[in-house]
Each structure stands twice: as C-alpha cells, then as structure tokens.
Amino acid sequence: MHHYWENLVVFYLYFGGLSAGLFVFSALLTFWGGGKFREMSKVAAVIAPWPVVLGSVMLIFDLGSPLRFWRLFATVQWTSPMSIGSWLLVTFTGVSILHMLVWQFPEKPSALRLGKTSLPLPTPATRRLWRRLLAAVGVPLGLGVGIYTGVLLGAIPARPFWNTPMVAMLFLFSALSTAAALLIMIASGRRPASGARDYHSERRFLYSADIAIILVEILILVPYLLHNALSTQSQARSLSLVLGGPFTGMFWIGFVAIGLVLPLIIELFDLMPLIAGKATSRHHRVLAYLSGVQVLIGGFVLRWVFVHAGQVSTFG
C-alpha cells in the first residue's frame, strides 16, 4: 500500500511535540519553585522554538510544492484540522520565539551598550512579568500543539488504527516526556550557579514529572489497546499490526520497552538518592543520560509506528 505520509511527517510530529513539551516545562519551572528553577526554565525556553521550526520546514518540504505552503494560511477553515493546526503551529512558534528573546535580556544591566550607543532595557521586574505573561499564553498553545500532532491522525476516520481520541492524549504525554528527558540530560551535565541544593531540587522535580508522565502514558496505552480490541472488527484487526504483524518489534521493543518501561525503572532507581538528599554519583549521571536517550528514542518510535501502521490499516 502506498504511504502518503513518509518519515518527514514523523519528524515533524516528533519535533513539534518536543517543542510543545519544552515550552510547557519552561512555564512550569517558571511558576513552580519560587525562582530556584530559573536557570533550567531559561534553558527550556531557549531550546523550545527550534525543534518546531525544524519540524515545520520538514513538513513544508513534505507537501511536494514547498513554495505553495502559504496557501495553508490564505483562509481559516474551522472544520479542517490541517487549517486549524497550521495557524496553531504558527502562533505557538511566534510566542515561543518571543518567550526565548525575553529570556535573553541580562538580569542586572538596565541598558545594552552597542559601541558608544546605550539602549535602555526593561527593568528586571518588567522582564519577569513578560516572561510570566508569555508563559501563561504559551502553555495552552503548547498543549494544543502537543495534542494536535495526535488529532491530525485521529481526524482521519478511514484509518481504524488512529480512530480514537486516545491517540491525541498519547502523543501529548509522549511530547511532555521527551521534553522532560531532554531536560534531565541537560541538568545532569551541569550544576546551576545557585548551588547543590537547587541542583538536586531541579533534578528531583524533572524526575518526578517524567515518572508521572510515563505512568500516564502506560495508563493511556492499555485502554487504547483494549478499546481497539473490543471495538469494531476493523479496529480489532488493525491491532494485529502491532500484535504479531510487521510493526510488533518496533512497537513493543522500541516504544514500550525502550521508551517506557526501562526509563521508568532507571528513573525510579535514580530518584531514590535525590529524595534522600544524597549527592548524585557519576554512575547515576550515566543512568540519567541512558534513560533520557531511551525516552527520546521511544517518543520517535511511537510516532513512526503510528504514522506508518495507521496508513496500512483500513476498514472493511
């Protein structure tokens, strides 16, 4: 069967979700912790726009006529998930770029010197206000982008493998998990200037969040499998693609084992000394990198399996 969506779409769904997750975590770290997570919030804000920009470029080239991509924005069609998603994507990208730029202002200087010219900068209080305002505006947009990457598939009723709202929720929490995993890897490779106490609090927050998110993914995945198995004959038959069919290994090994189960075990193990307030050893740092890479791989495999397996599944 011919696949209309190839790997460029998989990368788009993956990078779009990663950006959405990074923005949401930047906002959470901004509002949670009374400022002790400021450095990691800035890291997430600075990285957030770039995956979605890269993914959007890939999507434009996947259209076949890249120079005509502007036609997606010629009108707004409220009944078209593609039209709504395109505007949502552009709005989120703009807000995330503004959010990144606001974080680039230095914290203390009141003016920016360019040679002999001095440009006034907003006061620190104004900068913090703008960060919070953009974070508050961007969170629903980021969640919308994370959900949209799954809605885009679920809106095609002719593909029973996709035809459930649980796909959108699975993609959303996978996006949040990949973002948390990337930030865990970054946090494990640096120590914030604020000291060891905030370093451990930062990692404890990220580990706890990712563990909770992975558990939610598992709780979504089980009903998804049961829903399809007990639904129409076509949906039950579509599950054979990952239950003994050509996508079985990628789904159960690449996503479930590598992307969910193993990182969950590693992060639970690595969280124990953080809860006890003990210093993290070099061995634990290696575990943090390992679990992070596994989650990132699993998030990509999830989208690869759903994009390709869904196009194979048909009613009838």
Side-chain angles (χ1 to χ4, degrees), residues 103-118:
W103 270 105
Q104 295 308 303
F105 288 130
E107 195 65 26
K108 293 183 179 180
S110 59
L112 178 65
R113 293 191 175 277
L114 298 174
K116 296 182 179 180
T117 306
S118 180

Side-chain angles (χ1 to χ4, degrees), residues 282-295:
R282 183 178 300 275
H283 177 62
H284 287 175
R285 183 173 295 180
V286 172
L287 289 180
Y289 292 143
L290 178 61
S291 67
V293 169
Q294 288 174 333
V295 171

Side-chain angles (χ1 to χ4, degrees), residues 51-280:
V52 72
V53 168
L54 178 60
S56 298
V57 171
M58 292 181 175
L59 182 63
I60 289 172
F61 279 97
D62 186 72
L63 294 174
S65 300
L67 297 180
R68 298 181 181 179
F69 78 94
W70 59 270
R71 293 188 179 182
L72 288 171
F73 308 102
T75 59
V76 179
Q77 300 180 26
W78 298 108
T79 58
S80 170
M82 183 69 75
S83 178
I84 295 173
S86 299
W87 282 102
L88 178 64
L89 199 65
V90 168
T91 306
F92 168 72
T93 302
V95 171
S96 64
I97 290 174
L98 285 175
H99 189 236
M100 177 197 67
L101 292 175
V102 171
W103 270 105
Q104 295 308 303
F105 288 130
E107 195 65 26
K108 293 183 179 180
S110 59
L112 178 65
R113 293 191 175 277
L114 298 174
K116 296 182 179 180
T117 306
S118 180
L119 300 176
L121 291 175
T123 64
T126 302
R127 296 170 211 165
R128 287 192 293 270
L129 176 62
W130 274 105
R131 289 171 195 156
R132 288 176 171 266
L133 286 175
L134 288 169
V137 171
V139 164
L141 292 173
L143 293 175
V145 168
I147 292 174
Y148 164 71
T149 58
V151 170
L152 185 65
L153 303 183
I156 303 176
R159 298 291 183 247
F161 194 75
W162 297 337
N163 198 18
T164 167
M166 283 179 280
V167 174
M169 299 309 298
L170 188 59
F171 274 39
L172 170 62
F173 283 97
S174 173
L176 294 173
S177 183
T178 54
L182 180 60
L183 294 177
I184 286 171
M185 294 172 68
I186 294 172
S188 298
R190 53 177 283 281
R191 287 185 179 271
S194 50
R197 181 184 296 272
D198 287 352
Y199 170 70
H200 294 308
S201 297
E202 182 181 270
R203 291 193 62 217
R204 184 164 54 244
F205 174 86
L206 292 171
Y207 269 123
S208 301
D210 197 33
I211 288 169
I213 293 166
I214 290 175
L215 289 173
V216 172
E217 284 186 80
I218 294 172
L219 291 176
I220 295 172
L221 181 61
V222 172
Y224 166 78
L225 296 172
L226 290 175
H227 173 270
N228 277 19
L230 301 175
S231 189
T232 66
Q233 183 178 1
S234 296
Q235 285 185 294
R237 189 167 54 248
S238 73
L239 277 185
S240 66
L241 293 167
V242 295
L243 296 175
F247 300 96
T248 301
M250 289 290 286
F251 182 78
W252 291 102
I253 298 176
F255 171 55
V256 177
I258 294 177
L260 295 179
V261 177
L262 291 178
L264 179 62
I265 294 171
I266 292 172
E267 290 179 8
L268 283 170
F269 175 76
D270 212 13
L271 184 63
M272 295 303 105
L274 294 177
I275 292 176
K278 297 178 181 179
T280 305

